[in-house]
Amino acid sequence: MDSDVSSLTIIAKALKAQGVEYMFGIVGVPVIELANAAQIEGIKYVGMRNEQAAAYAAQAIGYITGRPAVCLTVSGPGVLHVLGGMANANENAWPLIVIGGSSEAHQEGMGGFQEYPQTSICKEFAKFSARPPSVEKIPFFVEKAVRYSIYGRPGSVYLDFPGDMLKENISSSIIQYPERVPDPPRPLAPLSSIDATLELLRNAQRPLVIVGKGAAYCRAEHEVRQLINSLNIPFLPTPMGKGVVPDDHPLCVAPARSRALQKADVVLLLGARLNWILHFGLPPRFDKDVKIIQVDICPEELNNNVRSAVSVHGDLKVFVNQVSNKDLLCLFSNPFIYQQLNTRISEKDATSSYPKINDWWEMLKNKCEDNKLTTQQLISKETIPINYYTAFHELTKVIPRDAFIISEGSNTMDIGRTMMNNYLARHRLDAGTFGTMGVGLGFAIACALWAKDNAPEKKIVCVEGDSAFGFSGMELETVCRYDLPITFVVLNNNGIFMGIDEQMYSASQGTEKSLSLPALALKPNARYEKVIEAFGGKGFFITKPSEIEPTMSQCLKSNQPCLINIMIDPVSGKKVQEFAWLTTEKSEAKL
């Protein structure tokens, strides 16, 4: 005898059938029962404190696993709060499914509770946005949402469910659940592209590989490492491309980033876009005659800003494997690459020996050493107040090689990228392509949940500026509620980018205080560690460099939520760079 099944159960079963394991959100009318139904089906529901943070957490799961998680939100304002997270997922090309409740369909146009044109608004922020026309069609639309989120260039999708649809029941006999969407296809690159790539590398005098987070997302770390070790070509990781090849690999030229970009004559671009992060691929940051080999899953991205010498639309992992398995002996006939096949670096000795080098490698190696020396000169265990370089130096002494590192902020993120090494793919998450502040706690929560289920001994470290922490600091309650062993570090310089000290703050007091404070200023010496203590976590306040390492070690060993609030010199900043990190000059943005 057929039994009735609720629309709530159908949604939950359809998601579970598609491999969805996590749901993040804030419940309310009309989605409270949907969260309960998801839990009944075995989906892990995590209640957050802000919809934006929920979206950040869900998309981080998508990046780490390659399969989407769900962000669940209420109607109207709840959906609007998620739009920033959807945009961030799209810009980073990470899969995300947003499910929004909406006002009852029969009240549409009447001014119903939190009525808003959610499906049409979300089309601007999603690859796919739809409202199933009937309860029977829900599994079809869930399958389609998952497929859109991971196929082609990954991104966010939106499914809308009116309150009255969420109350329906229908016969279980008419419901059909599609099979789980298979992983995206991995097409072969044309052989002509492989030959053209090898030809360019064969004739290059100053070759460079740029490794982007696309290489991390598509799980190409083994193939990319094999390629770099085989060809002995210097490589440069983008911020979230760090760890695809370990940062301490002898061919990593991250300390000489500007010089490598400016002087390379052939660039193999693996999973990175020529956007602002790479200065659009234009002079003077790049050589005007540089030849780009571009590999991207998104065809519209090919030849964007710069005409590529070789454009490959396809799967990066497959492409790199094709190049690696081509007859590589031909490359070593060129004296400008590396002369002997037996100079290949193995994974075993990659951190202990350098390859045979030429003038190009000698130039980059010397620049790396010079910049490392400059950084070392900025580190001091005696200087108070503490500067960024000293703080990071002390922190990294005890951060394990396999730790997830989440970072956001201005100086905190930029300096941290150079000071905190990564050794595994998908183990650094930061503000990303969209430069979004507020992602840190959501990302950290996602990493901790994944680690809890898959690698319980793995440590999660989230390093934030005080301004960045303020965007989603209330998620500390979420962290403590679920007892997630995350170590948070707030590098507190009393401001956005730079702040003011107590003396300047006191001088600004008076009836016009709020108007006389600098726009970048935040409250000096704010005790952010007290926030986590309010929820049962451990907080630490640090003003001396010598306190950092033992406190960090204590937190990592404690296996509980901790926050270290480190006071940083309000005017501490980055060392002078050869080029500004952000390209803004009009003359540089011309094709």
Side-chain angles (χ1 to χ4, degrees), residues 27-48:
V27 296
V29 176
V31 297
I32 298 173
E33 293 80 9
L34 180 52
N36 297 335
Q39 290 178 313
I40 291 171
E41 294 302 323
I43 295 173
K44 301 176 182 70
Y45 176 79
V46 182
M48 305 287 283

Side-chain angles (χ1 to χ4, degrees), residues 59-122:
Q59 66 193 255
I61 290 291
Y63 176 55
I64 295 168
T65 69
R67 305 290 296 198
V70 169
C71 173
L72 179 66
T73 178
V74 300
S75 51
V79 171
L80 289 179
H81 288 173
V82 166
L83 296 181
M86 294 174 69
N88 192 70
N90 277 350
E91 291 300 315
N92 279 327
W94 292 355
L96 167 68
I97 294 177
V98 175
I99 291 179
S102 58
S103 58
E104 305 212 350
H106 71 274
Q107 295 178 350
E108 204 163 279
M110 299 172 64
F113 176 68
Q114 295 185 334
E115 181 182 351
Y116 206 69
Q118 296 169 190
T119 306
S120 58
I121 290 293
C122 287

Side-chain angles (χ1 to χ4, degrees), residues 319-458:
F319 170 83
V320 174
N321 199 32
Q322 287 179 269
V323 171
S324 295
N325 288 315
K326 192 79 173 176
D327 185 6
L328 294 174
L329 288 172
C330 62
L331 290 173
F332 295 89
S333 63
N334 177 9
F336 292 107
I337 307 282
Y338 305 102
Q339 291 88 354
Q340 297 179 13
L341 193 60
N342 61 14
T343 63
R344 295 179 180 181
I345 304 170
S346 68
E347 290 288 329
K348 181 178 179 180
D349 63 6
T351 60
S352 61
S353 65
Y354 282 92
K356 195 169 183 179
I357 58 177
N358 62 3
D359 292 342
W360 168 232
W361 171 244
E362 189 73 37
M363 177 206 303
L364 294 178
K365 178 173 174 286
N366 290 339
K367 186 62 175 177
C368 285
E369 295 303 321
D370 288 345
N371 287 343
K372 287 178 182 177
L373 179 61
T374 301
T375 297
Q376 286 297 316
Q377 293 170 345
L378 294 169
I379 297 170
S380 170
K381 290 199 70 170
E382 287 76 38
T383 302
I384 298 176
I386 306 167
N387 67 39
Y388 285 100
Y389 294 91
T390 300
F392 280 118
H393 177 71
E394 295 300 311
L395 289 170
T396 54
K397 288 180 179 179
V398 292
I399 296 177
R401 287 178 67 92
D402 67 343
F404 276 111
I405 296 177
I406 299 94
S407 182
E408 65 170 332
S410 179
N411 289 330
T412 299
M413 184 174 66
D414 293 339
I415 299 173
R417 181 176 65 250
T418 65
M419 294 292 292
M420 292 190 294
N421 280 352
N422 291 88
Y423 308 97
L424 298 174
R426 300 172 297 283
H427 276 59
R428 176 188 164 88
L429 292 83
D430 63 24
T433 307
F434 210 29
T436 307
M437 292 295 104
V439 297
L441 274 83
F443 285 179
I445 288 169
C447 292
L449 289 166
W450 181 89
K452 185 177 182 179
D453 292 336
N454 298 277
E457 300 303 315
K458 191 178 290 290

Side-chain angles (χ1 to χ4, degrees), residues 227-249:
L227 180 71
I228 287 173
N229 288 335
S230 297
L231 301 186
N232 284 0
I233 294 178
F235 76 93
L236 176 69
T238 65
M240 276 192 278
K242 285 163 58 68
V244 172
V245 184
D247 282 343
D248 61 354
H249 191 289

Side-chain angles (χ1 to χ4, degrees), residues 466-482:
D466 49 332
S467 172
F469 173 76
F471 281 84
S472 54
M474 199 62 182
E475 296 299 337
L476 287 180
E477 188 275 330
T478 308
V479 172
C480 292
R481 183 172 7 116
Y482 291 100

Side-chain angles (χ1 to χ4, degrees), residues 174-357:
I174 64 173
I175 299 299
Q176 296 183 355
Y177 295 95
E179 293 183 8
R180 172 180 164 131
V181 175
D183 290 341
R186 295 183 180 273
L188 291 171
L191 290 179
S192 58
S193 297
I194 305 302
D195 292 339
T197 296
L198 291 173
E199 181 68 19
L200 278 177
L201 293 174
R202 182 185 301 119
N203 294 315
Q205 297 186 28
R206 299 181 303 279
L208 178 70
V209 177
I210 297 179
V211 182
K213 68 174 176 289
Y217 177 80
C218 75
R219 284 153 178 73
E221 53 265 33
H222 174 75
E223 288 76 12
V224 173
R225 292 180 187 189
Q226 182 185 41
L227 180 71
I228 287 173
N229 288 335
S230 297
L231 301 186
N232 284 0
I233 294 178
F235 76 93
L236 176 69
T238 65
M240 276 192 278
K242 285 163 58 68
V244 172
V245 184
D247 282 343
D248 61 354
H249 191 289
L251 286 171
C252 179
V253 293
R257 180 183 189 274
S258 294
R259 186 64 53 86
L261 293 178
Q262 189 180 29
K263 299 296 184 181
D265 64 347
V266 173
V267 171
L268 175 57
L269 196 64
L270 299 178
R273 287 169 276 175
L274 293 176
N275 55 19
W276 66 273
I277 292 177
L278 289 175
H279 313 291
F280 313 107
L282 298 172
R285 307 311 179 54
F286 283 73
D287 187 284
K288 65 181 179 63
D289 297 317
V290 66
K291 294 180 174 60
I292 305 289
I293 304 164
Q294 186 179 12
V295 187
D296 206 286
I297 196 67
C298 177
E300 291 84 359
E301 196 63 42
L302 298 173
N303 300 306
N304 189 39
N305 296 322
V306 172
R307 179 69 64 180
S308 299
V310 179
S311 300
V312 182
H313 171 223
D315 183 81
L316 183 149
K317 183 173 183 174
V318 171
F319 170 83
V320 174
N321 199 32
Q322 287 179 269
V323 171
S324 295
N325 288 315
K326 192 79 173 176
D327 185 6
L328 294 174
L329 288 172
C330 62
L331 290 173
F332 295 89
S333 63
N334 177 9
F336 292 107
I337 307 282
Y338 305 102
Q339 291 88 354
Q340 297 179 13
L341 193 60
N342 61 14
T343 63
R344 295 179 180 181
I345 304 170
S346 68
E347 290 288 329
K348 181 178 179 180
D349 63 6
T351 60
S352 61
S353 65
Y354 282 92
K356 195 169 183 179
I357 58 177

